[in-house]
């Protein structure tokens, strides 16, 4: 009787040790799974942070502006379909104080400081051209979802650029033709005077000299006259 009770106690003791071991193994597996999950999340966060660093510093502001412009375009189309004037409908939601503030901000937003150099002029032209661009955000997001990780360029992206659409190429050609036409009209406004002194080496240098004369001529008139007379010190 006593022997039977001893064997039963030993058996229960052995089972409890096995259960403890199984419990410890289960907890160890759970820890491994959590560690792998944390490692995966950390890797995803590192990839996303790397993408954000590669984007321009003003990317978030540009994205918000594009979304706003897209909504404005949708509202404009809705007003045109309803036979309403969009500018009039838009002004109905704007107060007098807000309209006055917006007008002052608009005047200060992109003032013309005059010619200071070809680099500044090119940058100003670039800013004006990019503001006219209206990308298709729906197509952009669809391509982003389709390409996944390949949507963002990396060191291995060379040679695998996406193919441009025919509509995009046509828009680029039309924009270039508008720029060429605008430059040709700009050049024709200035007639050549045969009696003027030739102080330039080509057409571009002549335009540059005229701009210099327009902005700084009043400060250099006396120096030029002294040089012509040979009395300059």
């Amino acid at each position: 009787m006593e022997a039977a009770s001893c064997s039963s106690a030993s058996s229960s003791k052995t089972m409890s040790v096995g259960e403890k071991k199984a419990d410890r193994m289960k907890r160890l597996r759970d820890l491994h799974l959590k560690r792998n999950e944390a490692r995966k999340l950390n890797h995803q966060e590192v990839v996303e942070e790397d993408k954000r660093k590669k984007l321009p510093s003003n990317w978030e502001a540009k994205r918000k502006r594009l979304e706003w412009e897209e909504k404005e375009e949708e509202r404009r189309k809705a007003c045109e379909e309803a036979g309403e004037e969009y500018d009039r409908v838009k002004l109905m939601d704007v107060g007098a104080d807000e309209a006055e503030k917006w007008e002052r901000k608009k005047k200060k937003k992109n003032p013309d400081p005059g010619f200071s150099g070809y680099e500044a002029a090119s940058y100003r032209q670039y800013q004006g051209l990019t503001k006219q661009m209206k990308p298709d955000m729906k197509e952009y997001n669809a391509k982003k979802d389709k390409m996944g990780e390949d949507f963002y360029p990396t060191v291995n992206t060379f040679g695998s650029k996406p193919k441009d659409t025919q509509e995009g190429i046509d828009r680029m050609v039309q924009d270039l033709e508008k720029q060429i036409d605008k430059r040709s009209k700009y050049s024709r406004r200035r007639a050549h005077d045969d009696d003027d002194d030739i102080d330039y080496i080509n057409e571009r240098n002549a335009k540059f000299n005229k701009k210099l004369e327009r902005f700084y001529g009043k400060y250099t008139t006396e120096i030029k006259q002294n040089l012509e007379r040979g009395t300059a010190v």
Side-chain angles (χ1 to χ4, degrees):
M1 189 74 175
E2 292 179 1
S5 62
C6 288
S7 64
S8 175
S10 176
S11 174
S12 62
K13 185 177 180 181
T14 303
M15 289 178 59
S16 63
V17 171
E19 289 175 355
K20 288 180 180 179
K21 184 178 179 181
D23 184 59
R24 284 197 298 268
M25 295 300 294
K26 182 177 179 300
R27 283 188 292 173
L28 184 62
R29 284 195 299 271
D30 292 341
L31 287 174
H32 279 297
L33 291 174
K34 289 181 180 179
R35 185 186 66 178
N36 292 336
E37 184 179 359
R39 184 183 299 168
K40 183 178 179 181
L41 292 174
N42 287 338
H43 177 69
Q44 291 177 354
E45 188 64 27
V46 169
V47 172
E48 290 296 326
E49 185 178 358
D50 183 63
K51 290 177 182 178
R52 289 193 295 269
K53 286 182 178 180
K54 291 179 180 178
L55 293 173
S57 57
N58 59 343
W59 165 252
E60 191 65 25
K62 281 189 174 182
R63 184 184 63 82
K64 291 181 180 179
R65 179 175 179 82
L66 289 174
E67 291 177 354
W68 175 80
E69 289 179 353
E70 186 178 3
K71 291 180 181 178
E72 287 290 300
E73 191 65 25
E74 291 177 356
R75 289 181 59 188
R76 185 184 297 275
K77 289 181 180 179
C79 289
E80 290 177 357
E81 291 175 357
E84 299 176 343
E85 188 177 349
Y86 173 72
D87 294 333
R88 186 183 296 274
V89 174
K90 184 179 179 180
L91 290 174
M92 292 175 64
D93 300 330
V94 179
D97 296 339
E98 188 177 354
E100 185 178 356
K101 181 179 179 182
W102 180 79
E103 189 66 25
R104 288 198 303 268
K105 185 177 179 181
K106 183 179 179 181
K107 290 180 180 179
K108 295 180 180 179
K109 188 173 182 181
N110 194 22
D112 189 356
F115 181 81
S116 60
Y118 285 108
E119 183 179 357
S122 299
Y123 178 73
R124 183 175 174 83
Q125 183 189 26
Y126 168 78
Q127 292 289 89
L129 292 174
T130 52
K131 286 181 180 179
Q132 296 175 11
M133 297 174 62
K134 295 181 179 180
D136 189 348
M137 295 303 297
K138 292 181 179 179
E139 181 182 355
Y140 172 86
N141 292 325
K143 188 178 293 184
K144 180 179 177 182
D145 295 337
K146 181 180 179 181
M147 297 179 65
E149 295 292 333
D150 296 334
F151 183 78
Y152 298 95
T154 61
V155 293
N156 300 320
T157 310
F158 181 76
S160 59
K161 65 178 182 179
K163 185 178 180 181
D164 296 323
T165 61
Q166 187 61 38
E167 292 80 3
I169 296 174
D170 293 339
R171 284 199 305 270
M172 182 190 69
V173 172
Q174 291 175 3
D175 184 66
L176 290 174
E177 289 177 348
K178 287 180 181 178
Q179 293 183 45
I180 294 171
D181 184 58
K182 185 177 180 180
R183 282 198 296 267
S184 63
K185 293 178 180 178
Y186 179 79
S187 299
R188 282 199 297 268
R189 288 204 300 265
R190 289 167 173 77
H192 178 68
D193 189 357
D194 295 331
D195 296 332
D196 283 347
D197 295 332
I198 299 177
D199 58 352
Y200 53 88
I201 58 176
N202 52 36
E203 187 68 22
R204 185 174 182 180
N205 182 239
K207 292 179 181 178
F208 179 74
N209 290 342
K210 288 180 180 178
K211 289 177 181 177
L212 287 178
E213 180 66 25
R214 186 163 64 249
F215 288 102
Y216 304 108
K218 59 183 180 181
Y219 305 110
T220 60
T221 302
E222 185 178 354
I223 298 174
K224 289 173 67 175
Q225 290 175 353
N226 291 336
L227 289 172
E228 291 173 358
R229 290 194 300 264
T231 59
V233 179

